[in-house]
């Protein structure tokens, strides 16, 4: 069976594709930028097609010949995400019908059935499900609450809040009930949904074996992680909006993502039916308990074995302009800061330092300045510097690295990063190494900034006095780290 997967570069999609392959299905991945899947371990086993769900003309060819369509796209980090999701779902529904797709499977959000206004996030997820079920193509909507798995936004929020705050002032919503579900069980239902009767066109609630309050989830997380019991001081005045600011400060999840998730916690997220059990058996050994789901997620996090992260998906409005040095660049001014250093260390000794940059290892220069810029970015709604890395030593194209995204990676030679922090323009950072005649190597570092309007030019010249300290220090310290023999923590990782 040919499974067409939208959102294959995202958190769930990136984990679903190998599961579908293991089940014997053929897979076509529909992504805006095929390059984002270039380095994933299953790339050669799938067909990759470029299409934009907001461009209706690009969709029908991408869906043609497919048997099942997985709709795993959600524009949570995009401004006006509800309207964006409405357009994307409408385009996809019409294209799926026209292309003769036999089944749509959508992962939505668990929400109350009783009348009442839903949060924007849950309201949008419910609306997308309704649009797909009205498409004329039999649709299965799986509605899940908090997903517990390494790298999920919900899990990262829970982890950082619990680990960093031994004493918490907790708002009323932490006493609401939630039915969390392990990511492995979400994938079980998604894969098995292919086999549901062809005439079914409905939603199913899916949840784990336990119903907990969010406060209980934090206490239980602390116990599994070996932390002292957390103290909680309940108050009734902290609103979801204020809570989202607290999430922005304490966790790596930026406010534009954390705010909708927190606003959704004002609703209890408990399954109102268990009809899915009539059609799909539980995984062998039963559904994963909460404590075991946390333990598994922590093991993967600590072993740097996280397959996908919440930050893998780029915002819909992320810039896509080419690098100014590319042949197709069409005009515009660009500022650059170029640094070069020679070393007796061969390229094979410099490259591990380049690829291991960021995250816990930092940026090799003026940590206070990087931290201050990260905090400033968070305060104005940016991603800040705390997204970290999926793997401590290895990178792949398309993934997030602190406030950057990996745009190009040439093994042993070049790493190009595109900035996703808030700046009045477009910014890149290139780190490269090449052999030096006579032995050793040359390390080259290039920062590029394309200003947007007068504010962009003012910004560049305002920070220019610090370039020697930041960029000059980075070049010196990267070469010094290579000369001191710095190597990845684990050298047996397979390139993915």
């Amino acid at each position: 069976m040919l499974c067409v997967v939208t959102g294959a570069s995202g958190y769930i999609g990136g984990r679903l594709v190998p599961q579908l392959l293991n089940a014997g299905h053929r897979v076509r991945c529909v992504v805006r930028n095929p390059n984002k899947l270039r380095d994933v371990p299953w790339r050669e086993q799938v067909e990759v097609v470029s299409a934009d769900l907001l461009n209706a003309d690009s969709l029908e060819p991408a869906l043609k010949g497919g048997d099942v369509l997985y709709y795993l796209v959600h524009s949570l980090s995009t401004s006006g995400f509800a309207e964006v999701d409405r357009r994307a779902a409408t385009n996809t529904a019409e294209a799926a019908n026209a292309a003769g797709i036999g089944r749509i499977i959508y992962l939505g959000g668990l929400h109350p059935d009783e009348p009442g206004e839903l949060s924007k996030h849950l309201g949008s997820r419910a609306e997308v499900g309704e649009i797909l079920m009205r498409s004329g193509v039999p649709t299965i909507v799986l509605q899940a609450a908090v997903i517990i798995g390494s790298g999920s936004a919900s899990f990262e929020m829970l982890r950082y809040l619990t680990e960093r705050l031994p004493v918490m002032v907790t708002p009323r919503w932490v006493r609401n009930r939630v039915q969390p579900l392990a990511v492995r069980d979400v994938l079980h239902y998604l894969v098995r949904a292919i086999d549901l009767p062809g005439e079914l066109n409905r939603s199913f609630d899916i949840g784990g074996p336990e119903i907990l309050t969010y406060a209980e989830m934090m206490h239980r997380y602390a116990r599994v992680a070996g932390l002292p019991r957390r103290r909680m001081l309940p108050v009734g005045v902290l609103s979801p909006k204020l809570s989202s600011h607290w999430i922005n400060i304490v966790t790596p999840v930026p406010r534009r993502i954390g705010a909708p998730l927190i606003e959704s916690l004002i609703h209890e997220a408990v399954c109102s039916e268990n009809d899915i059990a009539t059609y799909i058996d539980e995984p062998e050994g039963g559904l994963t308990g909460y404590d075991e789901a946390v333990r598994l997620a922590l093991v993967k996090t600590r072993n740097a074995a996280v397959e996908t992260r919440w930050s893998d998906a780029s915002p819909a409005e992320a810039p896509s302009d080419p690098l100014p040095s590319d042949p197709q660049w069409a005009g515009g001014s660009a500022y650059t800061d170029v640094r070069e250093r020679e070393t007796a260390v061969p390229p094979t000794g410099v490259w591990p330092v380049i690829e291991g940059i960021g995250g816990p290892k930092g940026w090799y220069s003026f940590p206070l300045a990087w931290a201050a810029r990260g905090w400033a970015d968070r305060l104005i709604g940016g991603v800040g510097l705390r997204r970290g890395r999926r793997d401590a030593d290895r990178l792949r194209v398309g993934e997030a690295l602190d406030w950057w995204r990996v745009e190009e990676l040439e093994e042993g030679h070049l790493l190009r990063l595109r900035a996703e922090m808030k700046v009045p323009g477009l910014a890149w950072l290139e780190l490269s190494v090449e052999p030096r005649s006579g032995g050793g190597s040359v390390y080259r570092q290039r920062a590029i900034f394309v200003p947007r309007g007068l504010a962009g030019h003012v910004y560049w010249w305002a920070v220019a006095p610090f370039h020697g300290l930041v960029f000059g220090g980075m070049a010196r310290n990267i070469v010094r780290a290579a000369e001191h023999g710095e190597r990845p923590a684990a050298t047996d990782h397979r390139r993915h």
Side-chain angles (χ1 to χ4, degrees):
M1 189 169 291
L2 177 58
C3 300
V4 181
V5 180
T6 64
S9 62
Y11 177 71
I12 292 293
R15 298 191 182 206
L16 176 65
V17 169
Q19 296 283 333
L20 292 171
L21 293 171
N22 290 340
H25 300 293
R26 292 177 296 133
V27 177
R28 177 188 297 159
C29 299
V30 179
V31 290
R32 282 185 300 148
N33 180 7
N35 201 42
K36 287 193 67 176
L37 297 180
R38 191 190 72 185
D39 296 332
V40 296
W42 36 263
R43 171 62 184 87
E44 298 306 316
Q45 302 175 61
V46 302
E47 177 189 0
V48 178
V49 176
S50 175
D52 185 346
L53 303 193
L54 298 177
N55 179 357
D57 293 337
S58 71
L59 281 176
E60 191 172 338
L63 304 186
K64 187 175 182 180
D67 299 302
V68 175
L69 170 64
Y70 282 94
Y71 191 85
L72 303 173
V73 176
H74 189 40
S75 308
L76 191 60
S77 61
T78 304
S79 57
F81 65 83
E83 172 58 27
V84 172
D85 280 346
R86 184 180 302 118
R87 288 170 50 207
T90 300
N91 289 344
T92 304
E94 293 174 353
N97 199 348
I101 293 288
R103 158 83 71 209
I104 297 174
I105 300 172
Y106 167 59
L107 180 62
L110 190 59
H111 57 83
D113 288 333
E114 64 267 14
E117 185 176 353
L118 295 175
S119 69
K120 290 181 181 179
H121 170 228
L122 286 180
S124 175
R125 302 297 291 269
E127 181 184 24
V128 167
E130 291 294 330
I131 291 171
L132 296 176
M133 285 190 288
R134 293 196 303 265
S135 66
V137 178
T139 296
I140 298 298
V141 177
L142 300 176
Q143 300 181 149
V146 174
I147 295 176
I148 304 297
S150 58
S152 82
S154 296
F155 180 72
E156 290 294 282
M157 283 170 47
L158 175 74
R159 180 164 77 95
Y160 278 83
L161 283 173
T162 308
E163 291 185 353
R164 295 187 173 182
L165 299 176
V167 179
M168 288 173 270
V169 176
T170 55
R172 187 182 303 113
W173 54 258
V174 303
R175 298 188 287 277
N176 287 348
R177 298 180 305 154
V178 181
Q179 196 165 349
L181 183 63
V183 66
R184 56 170 51 193
D185 295 336
V186 174
L187 296 172
H188 169 79
Y189 285 123
L190 285 170
V191 173
R192 294 291 303 277
I194 291 176
D195 301 322
L196 292 177
E199 69 277 5
L200 279 182
N201 186 64
R202 58 161 293 184
S203 64
F204 291 94
D205 292 351
I206 56 174
E210 300 173 83
I211 298 173
L212 307 167
T213 66
Y214 202 85
E216 289 171 335
M217 289 169 59
M218 288 191 283
H219 283 308
R220 296 263 294 267
Y221 175 95
R223 188 174 66 195
V224 174
L227 302 171
R229 182 173 175 81
R230 277 22 206 161
R231 295 180 59 85
M232 297 186 184
L233 309 176
V235 296
V237 296
L238 194 59
S239 71
K241 185 174 182 179
L242 289 175
S243 297
S244 69
H245 288 286
W246 192 237
I247 296 295
N248 189 52
I249 293 171
V250 176
T251 82
V253 180
R255 186 167 62 241
R256 68 169 184 254
I257 294 177
L261 293 178
I262 288 295
E263 288 169 3
S264 297
L265 291 174
I266 63 174
H267 307 291
E268 293 205 326
V270 177
C271 295
S272 61
E273 44 84 10
N274 189 35
D275 295 352
I276 195 69
T278 305
Y279 300 95
I280 299 178
D281 293 335
E282 292 182 353
E284 185 177 352
L287 293 170
T288 309
Y290 175 77
D291 288 0
E292 177 65 4
V294 169
R295 187 192 68 79
L296 291 169
L298 286 176
V299 167
K300 286 198 171 187
T301 300
R302 291 165 180 169
N303 291 342
V306 179
E307 302 100 313
T308 60
R309 299 177 69 224
W310 62 270
S311 55
D312 287 346
S314 302
E317 72 267 22
S320 57
D321 300 272
L323 188 68
S325 59
D326 291 347
Q328 65 267 35
W329 177 257
S333 58
Y335 294 109
T336 60
D337 182 282
V338 180
R339 313 273 168 166
E340 285 189 358
R341 294 189 73 86
E342 296 185 350
T343 176
V345 179
T348 54
V350 178
W351 177 252
V353 182
I354 292 175
E355 192 176 11
I357 200 167
K361 293 180 182 176
W363 292 87
Y364 291 94
S365 70
F366 203 178
L368 181 61
W370 285 88
R373 182 63 181 87
W375 277 108
D377 193 53
R378 299 282 287 201
L379 289 174
I380 60 175
V383 296
L385 199 63
R386 293 205 307 270
R387 290 190 301 185
R389 342 174 11 124
R390 178 191 57 83
D391 184 294
D393 304 311
R394 302 290 184 243
L395 294 172
R396 62 191 186 201
V397 168
E399 70 181 0
L401 172 60
D402 290 333
W403 65 43
W404 308 92
R405 191 165 297 275
V406 180
E407 184 174 85
E408 183 55 80
L409 181 69
E410 297 177 15
E411 178 72 20
H413 170 57
L414 171 73
L415 172 64
R416 180 189 301 149
L417 306 173
R418 178 191 290 271
E420 290 187 346
M421 75 279 212
K422 298 279 190 180
V423 289
L426 302 173
W428 291 263
L429 178 63
E430 273 190 351
L431 314 176
S432 64
V433 62
E434 56 188 39
R436 182 181 62 176
S437 60
S441 59
V442 177
Y443 168 76
R444 189 168 189 261
Q445 179 180 293
R446 184 167 67 131
I448 308 106
F449 181 70
V450 179
R452 183 172 58 244
L454 177 61
H457 293 278
V458 171
Y459 173 82
W460 175 264
W461 290 111
V463 299
F466 300 99
H467 286 176
L469 196 59
V470 175
F471 294 130
M474 179 186 294
R476 287 193 304 272
N477 292 330
I478 284 177
V479 170
R480 185 178 300 148
E483 292 171 343
H484 290 171
E486 182 173 309
R487 292 291 185 273
T491 57
D492 60 346
H493 284 196
R494 184 166 57 91
R495 158 64 59 198
H496 357 289

